[in-house]
Amino acid sequence: MGGGAAGLRNVTPPSFFGTLRVFGTVTVVNPGSGVPANGTWQPSTGLTFSYQWERCAGAGPTCSAIAGATQGSYRITAADFGARLRLLVTATDGTQPVSAASQVTSAVQAPTATECTLTSTTRSPGQVLEEASVPWTNPNLALTEDGMGATVTLLPGRSSQVLRLSGFGLNLPPGAVVTGVRVEVRHRASVPGAITFESLRFSNPTRSSQALPLPGTTWTTALQTVTAGSASTNPLGLLESSVNSPDFRFDLVVRNQAVVPADAIIDVARIIIDYASGTIVDGNPAGAVFTSVSTAAGQVPWTTPANARTADGMVTESLLTMTGLASETFRATNWGLTLPPGVTSPSVLVRMRRRNVAGSSVIDRRVALVRGSSTLATWPTSSNLGWFSTMTTSTFGSANNRWMGQVSAADVTASDFGVELNVDTLSGGVPGRPAIDEVLVSVVHSVTQQVTPPTVPTMATSVEPRVTWVMPGNAAMQDSASATATFTSALLSTRLVASDFNFGLPAGAFVGGLQLQVRKSASVLNAVRDELVQLRLGAVTSQSRANTSTTWSLPVSVVTYGSAQERWGFDDQLTAEALSAPDAVVLLSATTNAFSSVAQVESVQATVHWCPAP
């Protein structure tokens, strides 16, 4: 661009025509006139023209020459998908050449069904292994904001162990309900754009939340603070008893998505809890009436129900391990509750101190507020709790209710108002032996919204809180053998890494999408869920496609992820060449809400939907 020795200059830029789709053709020739749209030049005669097509990226944009694309027409290739195009026209009058560029196009789109008839290729992986995570160095340096931090050094594509932060020392009042949980993380990286968060989640020894939405930017080399979570989202459904526990913790994992090694440094992390609390009126256990009520044949009674009056180690039990799978109804009424004038719709709080003495699988099937023989409200079945082997206080209700149904002031002050409980055994599990040490029914009124100040942890550790897979290679093909993960002391499995799919796609083929078929099962109903399902190409990993809302079935079933048009968020990076590379892998992991469950993966297959270049 500019003038030649004889004053040659471009007056108006060139242009070109055609459909901006993969395998479409663009040309400098105006289809209306058949004349090349080389732009307007001065002088306008005696000129010859040459062409160079360019591929452009970014908002700037940054354009580079496409090798061999030097004719007046250009057939768009799979490598152009998601990019933009520009035509560079060079004019010469026999002296010095002068170049002028067209406008940059919009992004090149996928081909239509007419331009690209998809072919499906399904392959099993050549191998399935486990992937070890990288431990953090000096995790305690993440406890104070002083510029020094916990550090992990990651090779391209690798992930860290969990940096677990705990000991927050929170003291929310009884019955408080957490309405939002936020975390502030102050961090930096040794290489700009290399480090990103892979997962952020809250947990306790028995539950792990779904991952929080991740901050969308990669880390800079300067310290910066990002916030995850929100004031209106409670990812664990937490009540005050969980948040106040010394086992309440925040776990974070980071990943290197660059092509060079990089360090991740966490200077400090803080949490903020938004919660609702109110005035609590406790019932009078001394006057309460505890009974075991039979509602169907074969139910197992509760022994000495009145032992649930006080926390003294004397318990009422239903001996399911000896005689049956379901308990009678445990009922506690006549709490002598009182309320101040004007309170018409109080919230009800039920706290039970209890444990599963033997067996492996006791679960609440019905928790209800009753008045006499009438049910007033029930606890959501989706929130029904499994019983722990240690004596634990389980809480039902909160400052803002959560019961399915409402109770009035007249209900809670009536002598026959109380709570009922039915328990039984998970399908496929070993019958348990539930024991209750104490029950307390309270009401909450005059609820207000509150927030804690930013709170720092007092403990930080680098942990791999995952159970390993036995014989991971069994997941490489469909047969009677499976890779298995037995959850006995952790809630998450390690990652299965499936690789070497050997799709054999021809160079230049366009990839429309990828599907993953996983043949899997669980040993316990409603116990195992996906934790992670990802596609990794080199150092770049997709967002998880895990279906965290659906549990794995008891019989073996095939679950499909993706579709013929699903590019897993990779856009132009999902290419035939990338999928054929040895560092193209599928990552899988599982999570559970039952320590006695077993996750089984019999086979993993991937299907690429593609079409060849014309």
Side-chain angles (χ1 to χ4, degrees), residues 346-348 350 365-370 374-384 396-398 400-408 411 417:
S347 297
V348 177
V350 177
R365 285 304 182 192
R366 177 176 175 270
V367 182
L369 300 177
V370 298
S374 300
T375 298
L376 302 174
T378 58
W379 192 247
T381 55
S382 60
S383 301
N384 280 354
F396 305 88
S398 63
N400 66 353
N401 197 14
R402 297 183 73 204
W403 293 94
M404 298 175 64
Q406 290 288 335
V407 296
S408 66
D411 289 327
F417 173 76

Side-chain angles (χ1 to χ4, degrees), residues 152-156 189-191 194-195 256 258 260-264:
V152 61
T153 300
L154 298 173
L155 296 175
S190 64
V191 176
I195 301 297
N256 180 8
V260 296
D263 295 340

Side-chain angles (χ1 to χ4, degrees), residues 414-468:
S415 61
D416 56 355
F417 173 76
V419 61
E420 287 185 350
L421 170 72
N422 297 92
V423 300
D424 63 16
T425 298
L426 276 174
S427 175
V430 179
R433 182 179 161 192
I436 303 174
D437 188 27
E438 181 187 39
V439 176
L440 181 61
V441 176
S442 310
V443 288
V444 188
H445 62 88
S446 303
V447 177
T448 59
Q449 189 68 36
Q450 302 184 57
V451 61
T452 65
T455 306
V456 297
T458 59
M459 295 181 59
T461 55
S462 179
V463 296
E464 182 61 279
R466 297 172 180 269
V467 299
T468 60

